[in-house]
Amino acid sequence: MEEIKVDEKEALACCGSSQFAKQMALASPFPSVDHAISVAKDIWFNKVDVIGWLEAFAAHPQIGESPSSHTTSAQWSKGEQSTALATATDSGLQELSDWNARYRQKFGHVFLICASGRSAAEILGELKNRYSNRPIHELEIASQEQMKITELRLRKLFSAKTKADSTGSQYSTAVASKAEKERVGIIGQHLTAPLEGFPAKAPQVQARTRPPITTHVLDVSRGCPAAGIEVRLEMWKCSQPRPPFGETDIGGWVLEGCSTTDRDGRSGQLMSIVDALSPGVYRISFNTGKYNPGGFFPYVSIVFEIKDTQKFEHFHVPLLLSPFSFSTYRGS
């Protein structure tokens, strides 16, 4: 089987995150649908940030509503919801609509579930169960449901492309056989041509266009970026290789830079744009108490270590914040 190419538009139909679509197009072509799904999972969970997750969620129609557009994504959504719409009564659809509105008001995004093959009653029951979740927990569940939908759509896309390639190959076989002798002759000429014009190229490290460490903050209780939060980035510079747990670290941390998150929840430049990042232990701190005086955390600090083998990588350290909890992960 020939490798199958997935362009940005096709990837966007599978998952409505522009970050995801660009990364999938760059990783294309794929030798199999299973390989494409494996790459998609890595991109979705490790490279797409929370803003990208919310963008993907927003691309879905509300459960119980049939999409009106004729895009590939809309038609796939219609098919995925067909069982729910076929099994729903008028009163059931109204109750589903009411709970969808309550869910959106609490979590700030559409209720997301892989609806394929599920009845309206089953979906409504799941919506009611998940409504009691904490925002951070629910965001993780919604991201997992989005991945299930993405996998389903990638399989549909590859199936359609495989059929199209099969049909096209039947026509092209006759043409290919005629042109094969000409191609062999041309290739032979290239193989016997001098190679002086094709020197081996040493691998190049791509120059950075942004600082090697970045962050953004999402207020998951409101379902929106958190603007106006003060952020500090520090590096551990002491005789000890890393800050000891449970002991004072006064004098060990050196400020790299500070900034304040903008309306998209992203911080400004926290350090210089350098190609090779200095390995070591870093600490990024957020003045959450000033942002939410009634919250549980006066400030939040995240400490992480960058190895020498990682100095050319990018480290995105987001903060998912609510009044009484927070979480983070390493993005890129």
Side-chain angles (χ1 to χ4, degrees):
M1 177 181 174
E2 293 185 2
E3 291 191 333
I4 292 182
K5 184 175 178 60
V6 176
D7 62 32
E8 193 170 325
K9 183 178 179 181
E10 291 169 332
L12 197 62
C14 296
C15 174
S17 163
S18 56
Q19 296 177 35
F20 173 87
K22 290 176 182 177
Q23 292 282 343
M24 281 294 287
L26 288 173
S28 178
F30 304 101
S32 68
V33 64
D34 289 333
H35 182 259
I37 290 170
S38 176
V39 172
K41 288 180 178 179
D42 177 60
I43 291 172
W44 178 247
F45 290 114
N46 298 319
K47 299 180 180 178
V48 177
D49 60 28
V50 178
I51 303 298
W53 284 6
L54 294 176
E55 181 188 13
F57 299 168
H60 291 277
Q62 182 172 290
I63 293 291
E65 291 184 354
S66 182
S68 56
S69 69
H70 298 285
T71 63
T72 301
S73 178
Q75 293 309 304
W76 278 342
S77 290
K78 185 176 181 179
E80 289 154 7
Q81 292 196 42
S82 59
T83 301
L85 292 172
T87 57
T89 61
D90 290 342
S91 60
L93 284 176
Q94 183 58 53
E95 187 177 10
L96 193 57
S97 177
D98 293 342
W99 273 93
N100 268 310
R102 291 177 63 182
Y103 178 97
R104 184 187 287 272
Q105 184 176 16
K106 177 179 179 180
F107 297 108
H109 58 80
V110 68
F111 172 70
L112 203 64
I113 188 171
C114 186
S116 183
R118 299 195 184 201
S119 67
E122 185 180 356
I123 292 172
L124 180 60
E126 186 67 17
L127 196 164
K128 290 179 178 179
N129 287 336
R130 283 168 51 183
Y131 182 78
S132 61
N133 289 336
R134 293 185 300 122
I136 289 178
H137 183 207
E138 182 57 25
L139 183 68
E140 179 65 25
I141 293 175
S143 72
Q144 293 170 357
E145 292 296 317
Q146 172 62 62
M147 191 62 242
K148 293 178 185 177
I149 297 168
T150 302
E151 179 176 348
L152 186 67
R153 293 183 178 185
L154 280 171
R155 293 192 182 279
K156 291 178 182 177
L157 177 65
F158 271 65
S159 177
K161 280 179 168 286
T162 301
K163 290 179 181 178
D165 289 346
S166 177
T167 302
S169 65
Q170 293 176 9
Y171 169 78
S172 62
T173 299
V175 178
S177 61
K178 182 180 179 181
E180 187 64 24
K181 291 181 179 180
E182 297 177 10
R183 262 203 307 272
V184 169
I186 294 171
I187 292 171
Q189 293 174 19
H190 281 285
L191 288 175
T192 56
L195 299 178
E196 286 81 0
F198 302 93
K201 292 184 178 180
Q204 298 287 323
V205 177
Q206 188 174 2
R208 294 187 192 270
T209 57
R210 56 180 174 172
I213 299 176
T214 56
T215 186
H216 76 265
V217 186
L218 178 70
D219 187 333
V220 294
S221 65
R222 301 175 184 174
C224 64
I229 293 185
E230 298 172 5
V231 184
R232 290 171 56 91
L233 177 65
E234 299 162 289
M235 183 179 183
W236 176 256
K237 295 182 179 180
C238 190
S239 56
Q240 294 175 299
R242 61 184 61 181
F245 177 75
E247 295 182 21
T248 178
D249 55 20
I250 295 176
W253 292 103
V254 176
L255 180 67
E256 291 286 320
C258 55
S259 183
T260 302
T261 56
D262 60 18
R263 64 180 182 179
D264 293 324
R266 299 184 181 277
S267 70
Q269 187 167 318
L270 294 172
M271 66 185 313
S272 300
I273 300 177
V274 293
D275 290 336
L277 179 62
S278 297
V281 178
Y282 290 83
R283 179 171 69 182
I284 190 165
S285 302
F286 306 85
N287 190 354
T288 51
K290 184 176 180 180
Y291 173 78
N292 187 357
F296 186 68
F297 305 99
Y299 68 90
V300 170
S301 289
I302 300 166
V303 179
F304 53 97
E305 184 172 8
I306 296 173
K307 307 292 186 181
D308 183 66
T309 56
Q310 300 173 309
K311 62 186 178 183
F312 295 111
E313 298 179 23
H314 179 259
F315 296 85
H316 189 64
V317 189
L319 180 69
L320 283 63
L321 180 68
S322 72
F324 301 101
S325 63
F326 72 88
S327 65
T328 187
Y329 60 93
R330 188 230 155 154
S332 59

